[in-house]
Amino acid sequence: MKAYELRNDSGAIKLAIVQRPKPSPAAGEVLVRMRAASLNYRDLMISKAPRSAPLVPLCDGAGEVSAVGAGVTHIKVGDRVASTYFQDWISGPLTAAAFRTVLGQAIDGVLAQYVVLKEHGVVRIPEHLSYEEAATLPCAGLTAWQALITEGRIKSGDTVVVMGTGGVSIFALQFALLSGARVIATTGSEAKMDRLRALGASAVINYKTTPEWDKQVLELTGGAGADHVVEVGGAGTLPRSLRAVRYGGFISLIGILGGIGEKFNPGNIITKGVRLQGIFVGSQEMFEDMNRAIARNGLRPVVDRTFQFDEAAAALAFLESGGHFGKICIRL
Amino acid sequence: MKAYELRNDSGAIKLAIVQRPKPSPAAGEVLVRMRAASLNYRDLMISKAPRSAPLVPLCDGAGEVSAVGAGVTHIKVGDRVASTYFQDWISGPLTAAAFRTVLGQAIDGVLAQYVVLKEHGVVRIPEHLSYEEAATLPCAGLTAWQALITEGRIKSGDTVVVMGTGGVSIFALQFALLSGARVIATTGSEAKMDRLRALGASAVINYKTTPEWDKQVLELTGGAGADHVVEVGGAGTLPRSLRAVRYGGFISLIGILGGIGEKFNPGNIITKGVRLQGIFVGSQEMFEDMNRAIARNGLRPVVDRTFQFDEAAAALAFLESGGHFGKICIRL
Amino acid sequence: MKAYELRNDSGAIKLAIVQRPKPSPAAGEVLVRMRAASLNYRDLMISKAPRSAPLVPLCDGAGEVSAVGAGVTHIKVGDRVASTYFQDWISGPLTAAAFRTVLGQAIDGVLAQYVVLKEHGVVRIPEHLSYEEAATLPCAGLTAWQALITEGRIKSGDTVVVMGTGGVSIFALQFALLSGARVIATTGSEAKMDRLRALGASAVINYKTTPEWDKQVLELTGGAGADHVVEVGGAGTLPRSLRAVRYGGFISLIGILGGIGEKFNPGNIITKGVRLQGIFVGSQEMFEDMNRAIARNGLRPVVDRTFQFDEAAAALAFLESGGHFGKICIRL
Amino acid sequence: MKAYELRNDSGAIKLAIVQRPKPSPAAGEVLVRMRAASLNYRDLMISKAPRSAPLVPLCDGAGEVSAVGAGVTHIKVGDRVASTYFQDWISGPLTAAAFRTVLGQAIDGVLAQYVVLKEHGVVRIPEHLSYEEAATLPCAGLTAWQALITEGRIKSGDTVVVMGTGGVSIFALQFALLSGARVIATTGSEAKMDRLRALGASAVINYKTTPEWDKQVLELTGGAGADHVVEVGGAGTLPRSLRAVRYGGFISLIGILGGIGEKFNPGNIITKGVRLQGIFVGSQEMFEDMNRAIARNGLRPVVDRTFQFDEAAAALAFLESGGHFGKICIRL
């Protein structure tokens, strides 16, 4: 079968298509014929990091089960499934052990025609989704779900701030609307403002023309501040998020895209009684909760562009350009 | 001004229109020119209970503020407001003291042209609502809100069971949909089935033709059971609700319409780890949360029929007939 | 090896010592040399229920691991462990599937010299506990823990009511004290009152001489009511528990010892906003949390009496007599 | 009556004893004859900040009620009470409005013989406490309570890290022990290590001789990390706290004593799924919960030293020296 590998080529990290033997599922495992994969920002960082051993990249994949190992009872051949980010985070709190099972980082990922995963390392996908759409869920979708639903417990009437048009932010916008919340979105692109409004954002702020977007959020909430900020910019935007959030509000800390150059003053975390909650993807149980919500509401993930199998490098380059709106996929 | 009184007339309880002096707000109080009131099942029971002193009936009213007492800062003349069920339940948990401030029961209610209420005993109403619509919120609306949102914390993808077409059940249906949940409704009337579907119920069960509606709920949830049952029938329907709810599920106990004739076996509360949660209206803080959700989503309460001021007895009779779908109002 | 079996002997259920081959652990399993077992009220009911196939009784056992199967990584030979009630409830909410793995009921139990259990069906026991003490934890200990800690989330200063001197109630008393809560205990035996006080109960009520013990609880709490009632009597005592608990209080529903003869009136569940929470033992994750608390605080379970292996019938008879204070064990 | 004032004296801020008329309580207010006050770190900062109008300093006071205004029903003359930090934070979440009622900062504080407070701006104090002991509760005590109990919801068996020997840290140590948790304390003073052990800390780390105290915490928790860190050092110690806390752990962010010089990297907030929770004193409702716990467990606050009324400047200087262990009081 064909697979991609990240490998060390005289000091430089290269992404190459290789031939690998088709794997077989052991006891408790399933073999998945991958049909689609999806990119995340972490894949960009991983694709540039020094490494000694080759690695099959990407954590997000969807396909159909083509074989199951001994003792597998919940999954059967023919099931349409997606991979879970942590192969060993089933339920309860995250553990250090789960980190040793992260796809496309700690262990081989999903950018291959056939991939062996644990029985509890896959979830069945909603019927109305294509494989490309389902492949967007394991990392970006679940991160947004954990932030707003599992931890944030947003309720109808809340105001949620999302930043930019990356995968997590678009999912957060969709899950917030699904929950009856109101969304204020920020973007640096005039062209994307209309698309955010079309998706249901009730207000969109261009942070380039309105750098003090936190003041705008306060105004839009009658001075009270937002209930929840989905913070994907990290320390760079965190000071503004802290000004934009209400007393006792919730900030989901997800990304560090904006860098960490500014000195961090925790003062108004204290005086406003803010909850700053680190969010790192999620468990299989959360994934199944999310899929149930997606299925029952017919929600469709936003796929910006799908590349062919041999265009993986172009897909990563498109991600790096930052011009996307939603998710980027690769067909297998 | 004109007002209604429930009074003891030679042993029988009568509902009569009387003249009362227009009241004045003391410090911390506001005077409301009531424009609409709404009926609840409890008003039917109160209207038949023996009493020594006259009582202005009804707890649910909406109107505009026509005067404010000394020290009133949050509410001003002209504000459109609704009454709160407990005049003294602002925030935090319910207390015994709050019971001494229940409108239309412990103290005079709202079926009068002018009513004095505490500043923290009113809430501003959403702009898009008529006074009739706003008058449905204080008891039925807030009960459904506390059940599903404050205590139940339902999330998108959950399955909620509502019973019949009374005010609480219709609000529960609406709030569940607003939160991305799926609704299974029961009714004993073939004619009402379509109306429940039109409101968004994804399944409607006629409990007369399908008395084992709990089995239907299990089937509709793939054997798992519902996440939340809004139980307004009490001990009469509780055994079926306990069979229809999932392991670890939630039953909001709200009403005892179905009577309490059946012996209660708590066995499967235990073995299924069910949470049976008593729900009694709610606090001012919950009311404001609810209004925010209603305003931002443009939700409209379902008013079945509005009676004129002098038709209060007819309105109560219509409620008793059980033929309504949603709320019954009186214009003042 | 020697084991007990419950078997159908011409229509009567008999408890007999039999010889069985020593079992071997398969992949993912461990073999435990049982050293002690403990009785629960459910074992009494199971010992009288009609059955077709023989069953090794009891769910609560402790011993040392004598062999491990393939793929076992967390448990090693020599570990001191206890069994978990549900072999397959690791974390998250209870499921119907977990019921098919209840020891001494759905599958063979622990009253045997050697028992094969799943790797995730055992937990390591605190060092300071004897095997007899550790054997009391899986059912009674964990039930009390889930009730007060996992679900009840009691906090320092709360008032907890416990009923009688059975295993769950004594554990509830101990865990409540460990959490800084105050305990009011009820008992029908004058002789046991001092023992309950000696364990730390700040008030003990004899429900035979004070049948209206709920009034006593209200008095002891300044009229407010208890924060948490650990209800092991079921429908028979539930009406009093509902009067004894505070507004917004918590009743853990655990047992139905008191029978279910009284008609159940849910009225004050509603008006007091009470949470009636079914509690059914607990998950492996909760067990490990409990063991950590027991270890760090040096808590010792209360073992009333330990029987020898060939005295199992006498042990069950002692349990049925109701004269015990805490747990009854069998040495293996 | 005599009172202290912070006043602008030709550019310098001076603390002076002045004569003021004895105040009278208006409607909804109570007059308290203050008997003791207590210092917090914020008072040190306030005593140096530029100001135009005079201000009576300090927020923490205890005394007896000597008069009540009209409409006061819960408090009566002779009651022993303490002040609340926010005069207007009764229950529910903190609001911007509450900030305009902070004693000794937004409005006049308690360092005066007679002080008028709102009825809901005082709480009755536990009987076993002296006025000095009770005066330590409003800010430091309640901050520790909110951190560990209201928000942190620690449970028996948890490991809590406290830093140094200031008021909040010592209260946190005491409340953690009261809840059955284990405490690891840090200090920079060899002499204070024994006192921390004597109070019940199961481990004490000298951060001067062991600057990598986070590694020590990991070792003491078997590599898992602490469940809760009471972070009073701010950005200066936060990076170590983030390494010392477990996956999914809780950090109460309370103080910024350690300064904010280090660049803040939120990376492991994300990857460990940490909850960083800002804590700012607490509401009247929390205060009453805390007092109930203190009363029922006979807990005694740790008062390091009590100064006489005319020694307020010396008391502040002692606080600034950092040599204290627990709280510093002033007798009135």
Side-chain angles (χ1 to χ4, degrees):
Chain A
M1 66 157 194
K2 286 192 286 187
Y4 269 96
E5 279 183 3
L6 285 169
R7 41 166 72 186
N8 194 334
D9 187 359
S10 342
I13 305 302
K14 293 255 172 85
L15 183 64
I17 297 180
V18 298
Q19 280 292 332
R20 283 194 169 198
K22 184 176 156 185
S24 292
E29 295 180 339
V30 301
L31 178 68
V32 180
R33 172 61 181 94
M34 285 293 163
R35 295 296 179 186
S38 183
L39 305 185
N40 293 287
Y41 195 79
R42 56 146 238 165
D43 298 312
L44 206 56
M45 295 189 285
I46 291 170
S47 74
K48 295 171 177 175
R51 69 180 46 263
S52 46
L55 177 80
V56 176
L58 304 196
C59 53
D60 291 4
E64 80 258 3
V65 174
S66 67
V68 301
V72 169
T73 54
H74 297 301
I75 298 290
K76 61 181 193 304
V77 171
D79 279 357
R80 299 170 76 240
V81 298
S83 54
T84 64
Y85 187 88
F86 298 96
Q87 285 288 292
D88 271 358
W89 187 10
I90 301 176
S91 181
L94 182 58
T95 60
F99 272 88
R100 294 190 288 272
T101 65
V102 172
L103 291 176
Q105 187 165 30
I107 59 176
D108 275 339
V110 300
L111 197 54
Q113 288 181 309
Y114 288 90
V115 177
V116 162
L117 298 168
K118 295 207 178 166
E119 178 181 13
H120 58 246
V122 297
V123 296
R124 261 184 293 271
I125 58 177
E127 283 182 31
H128 72 290
L129 297 187
S130 68
Y131 284 122
E132 284 77 21
E133 289 169 327
T136 66
L137 302 174
C139 181
L142 190 52
T143 298
W145 178 266
Q146 192 196 168
L148 292 178
I149 311 298
T150 315
E151 291 294 329
R153 310 193 86 155
I154 57 163
K155 61 180 186 300
S156 178
D158 281 355
T159 297
V160 175
V161 173
V162 303
M163 298 175 172
T165 57
V168 171
S169 298
I170 297 296
F171 272 115
L173 181 155
Q174 292 179 299
F175 291 146
L177 294 177
L178 212 58
S179 307
R182 178 174 71 146
V183 174
I184 301 174
T186 69
T187 177
S189 149
E190 203 66 28
K192 288 176 175 174
M193 293 180 78
D194 280 346
R195 296 190 64 185
L196 287 163
R197 281 191 205 97
L199 274 176
S202 56
V204 184
I205 307 170
N206 186 328
Y207 61 78
K208 287 192 177 149
T209 56
T210 311
E212 295 190 313
W213 55 265
D214 47 313
K215 290 189 180 167
Q216 196 78 12
V217 171
L218 290 175
E219 209 167 284
L220 286 163
T221 52
D227 299 282
H228 194 126
V229 179
V230 181
E231 171 60 77
V232 298
T237 51
L238 192 50
R240 288 202 190 280
S241 295
L242 283 167
R243 287 194 286 267
V245 80
R246 71 163 165 83
Y247 281 85
F250 196 111
I251 298 179
S252 291
L253 197 60
I254 290 170
I256 51 171
L257 300 181
I260 51 172
E262 189 172 342
K263 280 185 187 178
F264 175 65
N265 183 339
N268 53 1
I269 294 183
I270 299 171
T271 51
K272 290 175 91 170
V274 169
R275 175 174 174 182
L276 188 64
Q277 176 68 54
I279 299 290
F280 201 37
V281 194
S283 68
Q284 191 209 26
E285 185 183 328
M286 297 175 201
F287 201 162
E288 288 180 340
D289 279 352
M290 175 179 71
N291 280 353
R292 200 175 63 152
I294 290 173
R296 289 189 176 162
N297 290 283
L299 184 145
R300 303 204 86 99
V302 176
V303 176
D304 180 300
R305 191 165 153 200
T306 299
F307 291 80
Q308 297 306 315
F309 180 69
D310 54 4
E311 301 174 317
L316 278 166
F318 182 53
L319 174 62
E320 192 160 19
S321 76
H324 56 290
F325 187 99
K327 296 294 293 178
I328 302 165
C329 293
I330 297 174
R331 197 168 288 132
L332 281 145
Chain B
M1 67 157 192
K2 285 191 288 185
Y4 269 96
E5 279 183 3
L6 283 170
R7 41 166 72 185
N8 194 333
D9 187 358
S10 348
I13 304 304
K14 294 255 171 87
L15 184 64
I17 296 180
V18 300
Q19 280 291 335
R20 285 192 168 200
K22 184 176 158 185
S24 293
E29 294 180 340
V30 301
L31 177 68
V32 180
R33 172 64 179 93
M34 284 294 163
R35 295 298 180 185
S38 183
L39 305 185
N40 294 287
Y41 194 80
R42 57 146 238 165
D43 298 313
L44 205 56
M45 296 189 285
I46 291 169
S47 74
K48 296 172 176 174
R51 70 179 46 263
S52 45
L55 178 80
V56 177
L58 304 196
C59 52
D60 291 3
E64 79 258 4
V65 175
S66 67
V68 301
V72 169
T73 54
H74 298 300
I75 298 290
K76 61 181 193 302
V77 171
D79 279 354
R80 300 169 77 240
V81 299
S83 54
T84 64
Y85 187 88
F86 299 97
Q87 284 289 291
D88 271 359
W89 187 10
I90 302 176
S91 182
L94 181 58
T95 61
F99 272 88
R100 294 190 288 272
T101 65
V102 171
L103 291 177
Q105 187 166 29
I107 59 175
D108 275 340
V110 300
L111 197 53
Q113 287 179 311
Y114 288 89
V115 177
V116 161
L117 298 168
K118 296 207 178 166
E119 178 181 14
H120 59 246
V122 298
V123 296
R124 263 184 291 272
I125 58 177
E127 284 182 29
H128 72 290
L129 297 188
S130 69
Y131 284 122
E132 286 77 19
E133 289 169 327
T136 67
L137 301 175
C139 180
L142 191 51
T143 298
W145 178 267
Q146 189 194 171
L148 292 178
I149 311 301
T150 316
E151 291 293 329
R153 309 194 87 152
I154 57 163
K155 61 179 185 303
S156 177
D158 281 355
T159 297
V160 175
V161 173
V162 303
M163 298 175 172
T165 57
V168 172
S169 298
I170 298 296
F171 272 117
L173 182 155
Q174 291 179 300
F175 292 145
L177 293 177
L178 213 58
S179 307
R182 177 175 72 146
V183 174
I184 300 174
T186 69
T187 176
S189 149
E190 202 66 28
K192 289 174 175 174
M193 293 181 76
D194 280 347
R195 296 188 65 184
L196 287 163
R197 279 191 206 97
L199 274 175
S202 56
V204 184
I205 306 172
N206 185 327
Y207 61 77
K208 287 191 177 148
T209 56
T210 310
E212 295 190 313
W213 56 264
D214 46 313
K215 289 189 179 166
Q216 197 78 11
V217 171
L218 290 175
E219 210 166 283
L220 286 162
T221 52
D227 299 282
H228 195 125
V229 179
V230 181
E231 172 59 78
V232 298
T237 51
L238 192 49
R240 286 199 193 285
S241 294
L242 283 167
R243 286 193 286 268
V245 80
R246 72 162 165 82
Y247 280 84
F250 196 111
I251 297 179
S252 292
L253 197 61
I254 291 169
I256 50 170
L257 301 181
I260 51 171
E262 190 172 342
K263 281 185 185 176
F264 174 64
N265 183 339
N268 53 3
I269 294 182
I270 300 171
T271 50
K272 290 175 91 170
V274 169
R275 175 173 174 182
L276 189 64
Q277 176 68 53
I279 299 290
F280 203 36
V281 194
S283 67
Q284 190 208 27
E285 185 184 327
M286 297 176 203
F287 201 162
E288 288 180 339
D289 280 350
M290 175 179 72
N291 280 353
R292 199 176 63 153
I294 289 172
R296 289 189 177 161
N297 290 282
L299 184 144
R300 302 204 89 99
V302 176
V303 177
D304 181 300
R305 194 167 151 196
T306 299
F307 290 80
Q308 297 306 317
F309 180 70
D310 55 4
E311 301 174 317
L316 278 167
F318 181 52
L319 174 62
E320 191 161 19
S321 77
H324 56 290
F325 187 99
K327 297 294 295 177
I328 301 165
C329 292
I330 296 174
R331 197 168 288 131
L332 280 145
Chain C
M1 67 155 193
K2 286 193 286 187
Y4 269 95
E5 279 183 2
L6 284 169
R7 41 166 72 186
N8 194 334
D9 186 358
S10 343
I13 305 303
K14 294 256 171 86
L15 184 64
I17 298 179
V18 298
Q19 280 292 333
R20 284 193 168 200
K22 184 176 156 184
S24 292
E29 295 181 339
V30 301
L31 178 67
V32 180
R33 172 63 180 92
M34 284 293 163
R35 295 299 180 185
S38 184
L39 305 186
N40 294 287
Y41 195 78
R42 56 145 240 167
D43 297 314
L44 206 55
M45 295 188 285
I46 291 170
S47 74
K48 295 172 177 176
R51 71 180 43 264
S52 45
L55 177 80
V56 177
L58 304 197
C59 53
D60 291 3
E64 81 258 3
V65 174
S66 68
V68 301
V72 169
T73 54
H74 298 299
I75 299 289
K76 61 181 192 303
V77 171
D79 279 357
R80 300 169 78 240
V81 298
S83 54
T84 64
Y85 187 87
F86 298 97
Q87 285 288 292
D88 271 358
W89 187 10
I90 301 176
S91 182
L94 181 58
T95 61
F99 272 89
R100 294 190 288 271
T101 64
V102 171
L103 291 177
Q105 188 166 29
I107 60 175
D108 275 339
V110 300
L111 197 54
Q113 289 180 309
Y114 287 90
V115 176
V116 162
L117 298 168
K118 295 205 179 169
E119 179 180 13
H120 59 246
V122 298
V123 296
R124 262 184 292 272
I125 58 178
E127 283 181 31
H128 72 290
L129 297 187
S130 69
Y131 284 122
E132 285 76 22
E133 290 169 327
T136 67
L137 301 174
C139 181
L142 191 51
T143 298
W145 179 266
Q146 191 195 169
L148 292 178
I149 311 300
T150 316
E151 291 293 331
R153 309 192 88 155
I154 57 164
K155 60 181 186 301
S156 178
D158 281 355
T159 297
V160 175
V161 173
V162 303
M163 299 176 172
T165 58
V168 172
S169 299
I170 299 296
F171 272 116
L173 182 155
Q174 293 179 299
F175 292 145
L177 294 176
L178 211 57
S179 307
R182 177 175 72 146
V183 174
I184 300 174
T186 70
T187 176
S189 149
E190 204 64 29
K192 289 175 174 174
M193 293 181 77
D194 280 346
R195 297 190 65 185
L196 287 163
R197 281 192 205 97
L199 273 176
S202 57
V204 184
I205 307 171
N206 185 328
Y207 61 78
K208 288 192 177 148
T209 57
T210 310
E212 294 190 314
W213 56 264
D214 47 312
K215 291 190 178 165
Q216 197 78 12
V217 172
L218 289 175
E219 209 165 284
L220 287 163
T221 52
D227 299 283
H228 194 126
V229 179
V230 181
E231 172 59 78
V232 298
T237 50
L238 192 50
R240 287 201 191 283
S241 294
L242 283 166
R243 287 193 286 267
V245 79
R246 70 162 166 83
Y247 281 84
F250 196 112
I251 298 179
S252 292
L253 196 61
I254 291 170
I256 51 172
L257 300 181
I260 51 171
E262 190 173 341
K263 281 185 186 179
F264 174 65
N265 184 339
N268 54 1
I269 294 183
I270 299 171
T271 50
K272 290 175 90 171
V274 169
R275 174 174 175 183
L276 188 64
Q277 175 69 53
I279 299 289
F280 202 36
V281 194
S283 68
Q284 192 208 26
E285 185 183 328
M286 297 176 201
F287 201 162
E288 288 179 339
D289 280 352
M290 174 178 72
N291 280 354
R292 199 176 62 154
I294 290 172
R296 289 190 177 162
N297 290 283
L299 184 145
R300 303 203 86 100
V302 176
V303 177
D304 181 300
R305 193 166 152 196
T306 300
F307 291 80
Q308 298 305 315
F309 180 70
D310 55 4
E311 300 174 317
L316 278 166
F318 182 54
L319 174 62
E320 191 160 20
S321 77
H324 57 290
F325 187 98
K327 297 294 294 178
I328 302 165
C329 292
I330 296 174
R331 198 168 287 132
L332 280 144
Chain D
M1 65 156 194
K2 286 193 287 186
Y4 270 97
E5 279 183 4
L6 284 170
R7 41 167 70 186
N8 194 335
D9 186 358
S10 341
I13 305 304
K14 293 255 173 86
L15 184 64
I17 297 179
V18 300
Q19 281 291 335
R20 285 193 168 200
K22 183 175 156 186
S24 293
E29 294 180 340
V30 301
L31 178 68
V32 181
R33 172 62 180 94
M34 285 293 164
R35 295 298 179 184
S38 183
L39 305 185
N40 294 287
Y41 195 80
R42 56 145 238 166
D43 297 314
L44 206 54
M45 295 189 285
I46 291 169
S47 73
K48 296 172 176 176
R51 71 179 45 263
S52 45
L55 177 80
V56 177
L58 304 196
C59 51
D60 292 3
E64 79 259 3
V65 174
S66 68
V68 302
V72 169
T73 55
H74 297 301
I75 298 290
K76 61 181 193 305
V77 170
D79 279 355
R80 301 170 76 240
V81 298
S83 54
T84 64
Y85 187 88
F86 298 97
Q87 285 289 292
D88 271 358
W89 186 11
I90 302 176
S91 182
L94 182 58
T95 61
F99 272 89
R100 293 189 288 273
T101 65
V102 171
L103 291 177
Q105 188 166 28
I107 59 176
D108 274 341
V110 300
L111 198 53
Q113 288 180 310
Y114 288 89
V115 176
V116 161
L117 298 168
K118 296 207 177 166
E119 178 181 14
H120 58 246
V122 298
V123 296
R124 263 184 292 271
I125 58 178
E127 284 181 30
H128 72 290
L129 297 187
S130 69
Y131 285 122
E132 285 77 21
E133 290 169 325
T136 66
L137 300 175
C139 180
L142 191 51
T143 298
W145 179 266
Q146 191 194 171
L148 292 179
I149 312 299
T150 316
E151 290 294 329
R153 310 194 86 153
I154 57 163
K155 61 179 186 300
S156 177
D158 281 355
T159 297
V160 175
V161 173
V162 303
M163 298 175 173
T165 57
V168 172
S169 299
I170 298 295
F171 272 117
L173 181 155
Q174 291 179 300
F175 291 146
L177 294 177
L178 213 58
S179 307
R182 179 174 71 147
V183 174
I184 300 174
T186 69
T187 176
S189 149
E190 203 66 27
K192 289 175 175 174
M193 293 181 78
D194 281 346
R195 296 189 65 184
L196 287 163
R197 280 192 205 98
L199 274 176
S202 57
V204 185
I205 307 170
N206 186 326
Y207 61 77
K208 287 191 177 148
T209 57
T210 310
E212 296 191 311
W213 55 266
D214 47 313
K215 290 188 179 168
Q216 196 78 13
V217 172
L218 289 174
E219 210 167 281
L220 286 162
T221 52
D227 298 284
H228 195 125
V229 179
V230 181
E231 172 61 78
V232 298
T237 51
L238 192 49
R240 287 201 191 283
S241 294
L242 283 167
R243 286 193 287 268
V245 79
R246 71 163 166 82
Y247 281 85
F250 196 111
I251 297 179
S252 292
L253 197 60
I254 291 170
I256 50 171
L257 301 181
I260 50 170
E262 189 171 343
K263 283 185 183 176
F264 175 65
N265 183 340
N268 54 3
I269 294 184
I270 300 171
T271 52
K272 290 175 92 170
V274 169
R275 175 173 174 182
L276 189 64
Q277 177 67 54
I279 298 290
F280 202 37
V281 195
S283 67
Q284 190 208 29
E285 185 184 326
M286 297 176 203
F287 201 161
E288 288 181 338
D289 279 351
M290 175 178 73
N291 279 354
R292 198 176 62 153
I294 289 172
R296 290 190 177 161
N297 290 282
L299 185 144
R300 303 204 87 98
V302 176
V303 176
D304 180 301
R305 194 167 152 196
T306 299
F307 291 80
Q308 297 306 316
F309 181 69
D310 55 3
E311 301 175 316
L316 277 167
F318 182 52
L319 174 62
E320 190 160 20
S321 77
H324 56 289
F325 187 99
K327 296 294 294 177
I328 301 164
C329 292
I330 296 173
R331 196 169 290 133
L332 280 145

